[in-house]
Amino acid sequence: MKNELKIGKHGIKLTEKDKVDAILAQVNGRASKFVANRLDVERAAKMAEARLEAARLPQALRVGCRVEFISGGPGAKVYEYAAAGTMFQIVRAREGWRLVDASRTSVYPRQREKLTITVSAKVAEEIKERSVEDIRVAA
């Protein structure tokens, strides 16, 4: 293979736009319709940050949170088979989000894009505690 790009051990900062673009171009190949681009990566980071903010999670505990994003499939039924899509993972570091993995995947007709956040057990417990701290049980 020609100069294949690799994502390093610590990932690629989302502010390094050229590197993110290059990795996604390499993963997507010639596919252009149902694949993710840098704007999707940035949008996924914003959506994840908003969800963590809504969970009232402090900035310090967001470090290490992992997001997996799978692009959506064709909207029309005329597609009978899977199409090329993109799956990527970003991880929250102290200074912001980093792209740590990207690969090609299959997406299917009417499949919506999917964003999944993975947190540690400690962070999950903190989210649970914060979600009920303003609730009182009536006697």
Side-chain angles (χ1 to χ4, degrees):
M1 291 196 132
K2 27 184 175 160
N3 298 334
E4 188 170 317
L5 302 171
K6 301 237 187 248
I7 297 175
K9 178 180 173 184
H10 300 292
I12 300 170
K13 294 179 183 179
L14 298 191
T15 55
E16 297 178 292
K17 297 178 182 201
D18 291 341
K19 288 183 181 179
V20 173
D21 284 338
I23 288 291
L24 291 173
Q26 177 178 293
V27 167
N28 295 334
R30 293 182 4 183
S32 62
K33 280 199 174 192
F34 310 109
V35 294
N37 58 34
R38 179 176 38 85
L39 297 177
D40 292 318
V41 177
E42 292 170 354
R43 185 170 51 87
K46 285 180 185 173
M47 288 169 47
E49 200 67 37
R51 286 187 191 177
L52 296 172
E53 182 71 31
R56 298 162 41 177
L57 194 64
Q59 293 282 341
L61 292 178
R62 295 179 193 180
V63 174
C65 292
R66 180 176 291 266
V67 172
E68 181 179 272
F69 180 91
I70 300 173
S71 58
K77 284 185 180 178
V78 294
Y79 282 87
E80 295 181 29
Y81 304 103
T86 309
M87 185 283 298
F88 63 79
Q89 292 183 2
I90 55 176
V91 172
R92 183 67 159 81
R94 258 185 266 132
E95 73 284 347
W97 292 91
R98 292 175 172 260
L99 178 67
V100 294
D101 187 33
S103 61
R104 200 163 177 159
T105 189
S106 295
V107 292
Y108 299 92
R110 296 204 166 157
Q111 175 183 323
R112 293 183 178 188
E113 68 182 27
K114 184 176 181 184
L115 184 132
T116 307
I117 302 174
T118 303
V119 298
S120 68
K122 175 185 172 187
V123 171
E125 192 58 39
E126 183 70 25
I127 290 171
K128 286 179 195 174
E129 287 178 19
R130 289 175 181 272
S131 70
V132 295
E133 71 183 3
D134 295 337
I135 297 174
R136 294 191 183 122
V137 178

